[in-house]
Amino acid sequence: MYKKVYKVGVVGAPNVGKTSLFNSLSGAREKVGNWSGTTVERVEKRINIDGKEIIFVDVPGTYSLSASSLDEIVARDFVLLEKPDLLVVVVSSVNLYNSLFLLTELLEMGFRIIVALNMYDVAKKNGIKIDVDKLSSIFGVKFIPTVGRTPRGVRELRNEVINAINNLENKSLVDFKVPYPSPIEKGISRILKVLEDTKVVASRNPRGVAIKILEENNLVMRLKVEQNNLSRQMRDIISDVDRELRMLSVDDIDTAIVRSKYNFIDKVLKDVIQVSPKRSESIQRKVDEILTSKLWGLIIFLGIMFGIFQLVYYIGDPIARLIEEGFSYLSETVLSLGKDFGWSSMFISFLTDGLISGVGSVLVFLPYIVVLFLFIGILENSGFLARSAVMMDRIMTTFGLHGKSFLPMLIGFGCNIPGIMATRVLSSFKDRLVTVLVLPLISCSARLTVFVVVTAALFKEYQGIILFMMYLLGIVLAGVFGIIFRRNIAKGEYSLFVMELPDFRFPSLRVLLSEMWYRSFMFVKKAGTVIASVVILVWLLGSLPLGVEYASGDSFLGIIGKTIQPVFSLTGFGDHWQVAVSILTAILAREVVIGTLGSVYGVSEEGITEVLPSVFTPLSAISFLVFMQVAMLCIATVVVIANEIGKKWAVFSFLYTITLAWGLSVLVYNVGVVLGL
Ligand code: GDP
Ligand code: MG
């Protein structure tokens, strides 16, 4: 006998309490974690309620259906491929702005949904009032306040799930619509027409499918478009929509759809949420008050961060030196091995000049990153960071940045890459976007190496002041562009800053270590693969055509240098193609600049201080430093930005910083010339 088994998926953003609710709903005992990424695989549990077989599925967290990472793909595939009978969409009461995005997507797709308004206790504690009935009526589905950690808080949700399962057949579809700009609406209608004519979409809400096609969602394209040979027709529609849209605004289709959804959510929330902070008398509240106060909070925070930075270098330096020695030993070994075995000098140069030194120059940063992330992990998991973020919020909002942006910026001084990765602590995409876009303006330690060498060669007496000015330039520009981006690209943010202040606790070593390992691994993997391939490219350009001296004027690298040289003619440092080449290799990593100059001028890194005064005038050196400070040249940073927030933004930040850098250099140089410097 066939008996229907009902599938109920528990979905939502990371860390909103899905697994907790899944456990309470199904009686399972899955691991609950206080960081994102706890559930990376789907977990299911089959139970029998009232004679009905129900499979509950715990799905990895995702903010949207446009999956990018593996766990998000697991979530997307579950929702789109397995056709669950019912979805329990878990949203966080203290972060509705971000939680509701996925809900709007799922509603558009026509799923049957019950919303668990989780973390309701935290909202209450923070004095956040949510009009639950209004939410339910706006979205057309039930919102049920829940407290995931306690079974009691889930009873109503459980009843509602059973109720919904019993009434699956006789419930009509919710008519839910987010309004989109007219070109998109027109595109939706055209796609719907095609789908209807070809009878591709039978069930659920076709409008949702049409929107996913406009977004060119991989999975939907594969299932609905490619399999039915509709690619050409759909592409035509998509490019029409894109063209019309660009006449109206700067947005592409994806951005316009995302923006419309957030605008919708924004409007809803202004109507539904009321915040009235409560005072509590406990000791923890007192401590919280001090830690979140502008003066003492700031002093304590800066003190702790200062200590951590000291420790990072204290612990990191010796390890970094070991790694450096390891790599130079490796390089020597390869060299002598190569000679013994009679390898071609070309191949040996590839291994030593190219691969080993290139990859080595990146891996040298690893110890700093590991140590830094370990300490950040401690601050984060102990609950300290949440308090500092509240404290910083006021100061940062003046610059269009979010309180939590503070930490990534701080990390960015060490290296922009972990800083950009650290923006993951920002839960709103727009906050992340603004922070990531200005982060490359923050002076990193790789820039420091260039500053140190150039100032040592040309400005012995003013070294400190010039260094300071470069750092200041970065900070000021980050502030200015923070405001500009906030006003233009990322406006309309629902920037109510509600932060759950978690109880203080001892961070668990296991959590710390696994987080640290994961982050370091990602760094090595992403930076390593990319760096290695760019190294090969640069090395090739420096060694070809065959027989040429490595990185000399006749090599392709030299030819390219001479080609781009004119670009820098207005900046004052365009007289030497070698400088252009060094800037080009800075794309690999900024530290390489000095090495490149050394190698193209045929001197060691120490000898470079003697060569530089003949390459730069003091004025053109300043102009060069400004360029190096402002331009985000580093390819690893570009890749990380692409991975974190998208390829488009990676290209954008590369272009805007390089344009800005060029403009400022031209300005500095020419003003200097006019002033007779
Ligand atoms: P998931 O990533 O969505 O699966 O979230 P988890 O179920 O792993 O929960 C994340 C964290 O939030 C855990 O520390 C839970 O104990 C906690 N948590 C879950 N639900 C609630 C709730 O309603 N209130 C409070 N205060 N904490 C919750
Ligand atoms: Mg989970």
Side-chain angles (χ1 to χ4, degrees):
M1 268 232 329
Y2 174 77
K3 184 161 182 196
K4 164 103 178 132
V5 179
Y6 297 91
K7 196 175 268 180
V8 180
V10 182
V11 298
N15 220 19
V16 292
K18 294 178 300 301
T19 303
S20 307
L21 287 174
F22 166 80
N23 285 345
S24 310
L25 282 171
S26 69
R29 293 208 182 284
E30 280 304 316
K31 194 186 159 331
V32 168
N34 194 14
W35 73 98
S36 20
T38 324
T39 315
V40 285
E41 263 302 323
R42 43 167 291 168
V43 173
E44 48 182 68
K45 169 105 183 174
R46 188 172 173 146
I47 57 168
N48 188 311
I49 306 179
D50 295 352
K52 287 232 155 63
E53 287 289 320
I54 302 178
I55 294 183
F56 282 98
V57 185
D58 184 19
V59 183
T62 182
Y63 289 103
S64 78
L65 293 178
S66 350
S68 52
S69 66
L70 261 182
D71 48 342
E72 287 169 350
I73 291 177
V74 173
R76 179 200 68 183
D77 287 358
F78 167 77
V79 168
L80 296 183
L81 294 179
E82 294 193 28
K83 307 207 164 68
D85 297 285
L86 180 69
L87 289 176
V88 174
V89 178
V90 186
V91 299
S92 162
S93 306
V94 281
N95 193 357
L96 280 172
Y97 185 76
N98 286 300
S99 312
L100 289 177
F101 189 85
L102 179 67
L103 178 66
T104 59
E105 280 192 310
L106 292 172
L107 282 170
E108 273 175 348
M109 300 292 290
F111 286 99
R112 299 195 194 282
I113 288 171
I114 296 173
V115 183
L117 198 51
N118 201 37
M119 307 271 178
Y120 202 66
D121 54 330
V122 185
K124 242 182 177 165
K125 208 170 78 190
N126 283 289
I128 303 171
K129 272 221 186 80
I130 302 171
D131 191 335
V132 182
D133 293 337
K134 209 175 217 166
L135 267 176
S136 299
S137 78
I138 291 172
F139 284 94
V141 289
K142 265 247 162 69
F143 276 66
I144 298 165
T146 56
V147 181
R149 315 205 235 235
T150 65
R152 209 160 35 96
V154 184
R155 193 173 300 153
E156 199 189 338
L157 180 66
R158 198 182 154 93
N159 290 338
E160 204 54 53
V161 168
I162 296 168
N163 196 10
I165 294 275
N166 285 330
N167 294 302
L168 270 188
E169 282 72 27
N170 47 25
K171 239 189 114 195
S172 60
L173 265 183
V174 178
D175 182 35
F176 173 80
K177 272 186 187 157
V178 172
Y180 294 107
S182 61
I184 293 200
E185 290 290 353
K186 228 162 72 192
I188 293 175
S189 321
R190 282 178 65 190
I191 291 177
L192 284 178
K193 181 90 180 24
V194 174
L195 292 178
E196 215 171 278
D197 291 349
T198 48
K199 302 199 167 44
V200 168
V201 181
S203 62
R204 306 226 194 262
N205 193 342
R207 181 178 162 91
V209 173
I211 293 167
K212 285 281 158 265
I213 290 176
L214 275 180
E215 287 177 339
E216 297 181 68
N217 181 294
N218 290 339
L219 185 63
V220 176
M221 288 305 257
R222 211 162 60 222
L223 292 179
K224 304 286 184 194
V225 178
E226 281 152 32
Q227 279 185 8
N228 299 292
N229 292 325
L230 295 175
S231 299
R232 265 248 318 282
Q233 285 181 60
M234 293 305 182
R235 294 236 177 272
D236 287 349
I237 299 178
I238 292 170
S239 67
D240 284 353
V241 173
D242 195 55
R243 191 160 8 86
E244 283 175 40
L245 201 58
R246 279 173 200 282
M247 283 193 275
L248 288 182
S249 73
V250 294
D251 290 349
D252 59 17
I253 297 179
D254 281 6
T255 320
I257 291 177
V258 171
R259 202 194 288 278
S260 307
K261 286 204 172 90
Y262 274 119
N263 283 344
F264 174 80
I265 294 169
D266 198 20
K267 268 207 211 90
V268 171
L269 288 185
K270 284 200 175 115
D271 238 22
V272 180
I273 293 187
Q274 263 189 353
V275 186
S276 51
K278 272 191 299 196
R279 270 189 184 276
S280 162
E281 309 75 9
S282 67
I283 296 176
Q284 175 160 344
R285 290 284 136 175
K286 280 269 148 61
V287 175
D288 285 352
E289 239 163 66
I290 296 173
L291 288 181
T292 56
S293 74
K294 275 208 256 180
L295 182 63
W296 286 110
L298 187 63
I299 292 173
I300 295 171
F301 180 81
L302 288 181
I304 288 180
M305 284 318 291
F306 181 76
I308 286 181
F309 269 105
Q310 297 296 323
L311 275 174
V312 163
Y313 287 102
Y314 187 74
I315 303 173
D317 276 340
I319 308 176
R321 220 166 297 136
L322 272 182
I323 293 180
E324 229 176 300
E325 276 166 23
F327 273 99
S328 65
Y329 177 77
L330 187 65
S331 180
E332 279 158 26
T333 317
V334 168
L335 202 67
S336 66
L337 261 182
K339 283 205 181 107
D340 290 350
F341 285 98
W343 294 345
S344 77
S345 61
M346 179 106 175
F347 184 61
I348 297 176
S349 153
F350 166 68
L351 288 178
T352 54
D353 294 339
L355 214 52
I356 296 177
S357 73
V359 174
S361 72
V362 178
L363 283 187
V364 159
F365 288 115
L366 188 63
Y368 302 106
I369 287 168
V370 169
V371 177
L372 192 62
F373 274 133
L374 177 66
F375 285 114
I376 302 290
I378 294 175
L379 291 190
E380 193 178 349
N381 283 289
S382 64
F384 177 82
L385 220 55
R387 283 145 181 97
S388 307
V390 173
M391 175 270 298
M392 284 310 295
D393 184 47
R394 280 183 184 161
I395 304 172
M396 301 291 282
T397 40
T398 335
F399 297 111
L401 297 169
H402 200 266
K404 274 186 165 181
S405 313
F406 181 61
L407 191 78
M409 307 281 272
L410 210 64
I411 296 174
F413 280 106
C415 172
N416 291 171
I417 291 172
I420 287 163
M421 282 158 65
T423 59
R424 291 187 192 164
V425 298
L426 294 163
S427 41
S428 132
F429 179 74
K430 286 179 180 175
D431 286 328
R432 271 196 84 184
L433 181 62
V434 174
T435 312
V436 168
L437 289 182
V438 301
L439 233 152
L441 297 168
I442 295 293
S443 196
C444 61
S445 56
R447 272 169 252 209
L448 185 62
T449 58
V450 180
F451 298 160
V452 167
V453 175
V454 174
T455 52
L458 283 125
F459 308 103
K460 265 258 147 30
E461 286 148 58
Y462 305 106
Q463 218 175 341
I465 298 175
I466 291 172
L467 256 183
F468 178 73
M469 297 299 277
M470 288 302 146
Y471 274 77
L472 198 64
L473 177 68
I475 297 168
V476 170
L477 286 177
V480 170
F481 278 84
I483 296 172
I484 293 176
F485 291 146
R486 168 61 75 202
R487 298 231 171 111
N488 295 288
I489 298 175
K491 61 185 167 202
E493 174 78 0
Y494 187 74
S495 59
L496 170 75
F497 183 65
V498 188
M499 175 99 203
E500 176 191 0
L501 287 184
D503 294 344
F504 275 114
R505 64 177 181 196
F506 266 110
S508 105
L509 191 63
R510 220 182 50 78
V511 172
L512 282 181
L513 290 181
S514 79
E515 235 170 59
M516 194 178 81
W517 188 85
Y518 180 72
R519 285 172 170 171
S520 314
F521 173 76
M522 292 315 273
F523 174 80
V524 172
K525 197 183 117 195
K526 282 179 188 161
T529 46
V530 172
I531 293 286
S533 34
V534 179
V535 162
I536 293 172
L537 185 71
V538 168
W539 176 84
L540 268 178
L541 293 175
S543 328
L544 291 175
L546 283 175
V548 86
E549 191 191 336
Y550 179 67
S552 69
D554 299 326
S555 69
F556 285 149
L557 204 58
I559 295 169
I560 294 172
K562 287 174 183 162
T563 314
I564 53 173
Q565 194 178 355
V567 174
F568 299 109
S569 59
L570 290 177
T571 62
F573 48 85
D575 295 344
H576 303 259
W577 69 260
Q578 290 90 338
V579 176
V581 165
S582 79
I583 289 173
L584 203 65
T585 56
I587 289 175
L588 172 60
R590 273 168 215 274
E591 304 85 328
V592 180
V593 167
I594 300 305
T596 309
L597 284 173
S599 105
V600 289
Y601 283 112
V603 290
S604 67
E605 291 207 10
E606 290 91 70
I608 194 77
T609 29
E610 279 139 45
V611 177
L612 285 183
S614 65
V615 178
F616 293 112
T617 65
L619 183 58
S620 75
I622 294 284
S623 163
F624 178 69
L625 289 183
V626 167
F627 185 84
M628 290 306 293
Q629 158 59 36
V630 178
M632 177 185 97
L633 296 163
C634 162
I635 188 78
T637 313
V638 179
V639 171
V640 169
I641 293 182
N643 276 324
E644 294 291 319
I645 58 169
K647 291 194 190 75
K648 257 180 321 198
W649 292 115
V651 172
F652 173 76
S653 36
F654 185 82
L655 293 181
Y656 103 82
T657 56
I658 214 164
T659 316
L660 180 66
W662 185 84
L664 284 176
S665 298
V666 171
L667 186 74
V668 166
Y669 183 70
N670 289 290
V671 168
V673 168
V674 168
L675 293 179
L677 291 174

